[in-house]
Amino acid sequence: MSPVLDPAVAALLDNPTTTRLRPVFEGNNISFAIGFKHINYVAEAAVLSHFRAAGLSVGSMYKRFGLGFEVVELRSRLGALLDVDDEVEAEVTPATKDGATEFTFKVAQFVERDGERLKCATSTVRVALRIDDHIAASEAYPAGLERFAVRSLGSGDRLELAATPSPYGSLVEGRGTVGSDPVLDELIGEDNAFGWRWRMPYFYCHFNDRVQMSGFLRVMEEVEDLFLASRGLAIKEVLDTRNWIPVVTQSELRLLDETLMEEELYTVYTIENVFKSLLYTARMDCYVIRDGELVRTVTGTITHGYLTEHAPNEWSMATFDEATVSALSTPKRVDA
């Protein structure tokens, strides 16, 4: 016989919800479209609304139960451009399996376009509740919530480190290292990859302690930007000379372990495929050094292409020229 669940927990697990949201203006970087990061933010916001509707808002769970809301996996497929002026109807459907220790939700984003309801994105969002060491719970967990409460967010792969890490420097040394670095060199080897080392700032973190999912979406966007510049495909130059803007069709991120505030993050961005001269896929792996070992804390993939404006406000996929295919396909080391 299944245990009796608290009504709020039962609502989280069983009741679909729908909420109306608008993308944040910050995500309107090029033309009228919203970028992939903020489309993922909408999916996260829809799940946050789902928790509020059940009576278990993020703030109340932290204050009452000492539990931090953590998106630990976010997979999205983007089907249509999201306009800066769109109001999104976000449908959240619970999909948690019996006995699972993470909540799973399917999120579909719809907009109205020319009188029709158009699906612009679908996501799978997985959530854990991290027991916080900074505060003590003032109430017992509602029945059924305890299985989702974890002491840590995982145990990432441990890799023996042969290189001797070089000193990073002070917190004011800017955007980190993209040149020769012994740890990045070891991680990259001969792969068609790009490395970036940067200390994680507090504004990518939450609950006093660790980098949250939105922070890693930002890291993914930033390392892509740095990678393209290193291959002679800086976004502004490509926009000005070829009239191409980057577009993401799929993205996926999974937190394997915790990354703590002001830890140095070693990010490796590896090109996996360039296909049909239309899209390329890249894998992002992030590491920190603990007790002399590399710990992989995040992994993910992203699929990129370019759109070109063939008429005012009308966009279509651009076909890569030979120079672009070569730049994406040929490993290049960045000098210090």
Side-chain angles (χ1 to χ4, degrees):
M1 183 175 179
S2 299
V4 176
L5 300 177
D6 182 273
V9 178
L12 282 179
L13 292 170
D14 298 329
N15 298 349
T17 58
T18 300
T19 187
R20 303 193 74 87
L21 300 160
R22 288 192 182 274
V24 177
F25 180 55
E26 178 194 295
N28 176 216
N29 304 129
I30 296 176
S31 189
F32 59 83
I34 293 294
F36 92 100
K37 181 171 85 260
H38 281 266
I39 294 172
N40 278 295
Y41 287 179
V42 171
E44 181 184 66
V47 173
L48 289 169
S49 179
H50 181 79
F51 273 74
R52 292 188 191 103
L56 290 171
S57 66
V58 168
S60 70
M61 286 193 297
Y62 187 77
K63 289 180 282 189
R64 294 166 61 195
F65 313 125
L67 295 175
F69 174 96
E70 297 281 354
V71 176
V72 294
E73 186 171 332
L74 180 51
R75 293 187 283 122
S76 295
R77 181 184 294 271
L78 285 58
L81 289 178
L82 184 60
D83 193 302
V84 64
D85 293 319
D86 279 331
E87 184 178 38
V88 177
E89 185 178 51
E91 294 182 351
V92 178
T93 303
T96 305
K97 294 182 178 179
D98 291 344
T101 57
E102 297 172 354
F103 293 99
T104 300
F105 304 99
K106 302 292 185 180
V107 182
Q109 299 183 35
F110 297 91
V111 297
E112 187 171 320
R113 192 91 78 233
D114 299 323
E116 295 186 3
R117 191 170 184 253
L118 176 69
K119 183 185 288 185
C120 61
T122 57
S123 301
T124 299
V125 183
R126 292 195 168 91
V127 173
L129 302 178
R130 165 67 152 76
I131 299 170
D132 200 282
D133 298 327
H134 296 97
I135 59 173
S138 60
E139 299 179 31
Y141 298 159
L145 197 67
E146 62 277 357
R147 85 181 213 230
F148 302 102
V150 296
R151 283 286 173 190
S152 67
L153 297 183
S155 181
D157 300 336
R158 262 63 176 175
L159 304 176
E160 184 177 347
L161 178 63
T164 300
S166 60
Y168 182 89
S170 71
L171 283 173
V172 296
E173 288 198 358
R175 302 300 298 156
T177 298
V178 296
S180 180
D181 176 274
V183 175
L184 291 174
D185 291 346
E186 180 177 324
L187 286 168
I188 291 171
E190 299 301 317
D191 292 343
N192 182 15
F194 173 84
W196 175 38
R197 175 188 178 193
W198 187 44
R199 187 170 286 169
M200 287 288 91
Y202 85 92
F203 45 87
Y204 282 24
C205 303
H206 65 178
F207 299 122
N208 305 343
D209 189 49
R210 54 197 175 273
V211 182
Q212 58 180 304
M213 176 61 74
S214 63
F216 284 111
L217 285 167
R218 294 167 75 174
V219 169
M220 179 173 268
E221 186 171 57
E222 288 176 280
V223 75
E224 164 76 10
D225 180 64
L226 292 168
F227 161 76
L228 289 173
S230 78
R231 297 292 175 96
L233 296 170
I235 290 172
K236 174 65 171 170
E237 182 179 352
V238 170
L239 181 61
D240 288 345
T241 60
R242 306 183 201 184
N243 196 33
W244 293 358
I245 65 169
V247 63
V248 173
T249 60
Q250 295 183 71
S251 66
E252 178 178 344
L253 277 174
R254 174 74 194 189
L255 275 57
L256 304 174
D257 208 316
E258 296 173 1
T259 303
L260 305 182
M261 186 185 299
E262 296 184 1
E263 277 194 308
E264 292 171 23
L265 191 75
Y266 293 81
T267 300
V268 178
Y269 192 76
T270 305
I271 302 303
E272 295 193 314
N273 290 295
V274 181
F275 48 95
K276 296 185 178 179
S277 297
L278 289 172
L279 297 167
Y280 64 94
T281 59
R283 187 181 77 252
M284 185 181 85
D285 295 294
C286 298
Y287 303 82
V288 298
I289 297 176
R290 294 198 186 122
D291 300 323
E293 293 181 316
L294 279 168
V295 182
R296 188 166 63 136
T297 60
V298 176
T299 190
T301 59
I302 191 167
T303 302
H304 250 290
Y306 287 98
L307 292 178
T308 186
E309 192 173 26
H310 55 81
N313 293 324
E314 294 183 14
W315 302 85
S316 59
M317 292 295 294
T319 300
F320 301 160
D321 53 28
E322 290 185 10
T324 300
V325 172
S326 177
L328 294 171
S329 304
T330 306
K332 179 181 178 182
R333 298 295 170 253
V334 180
D335 295 331

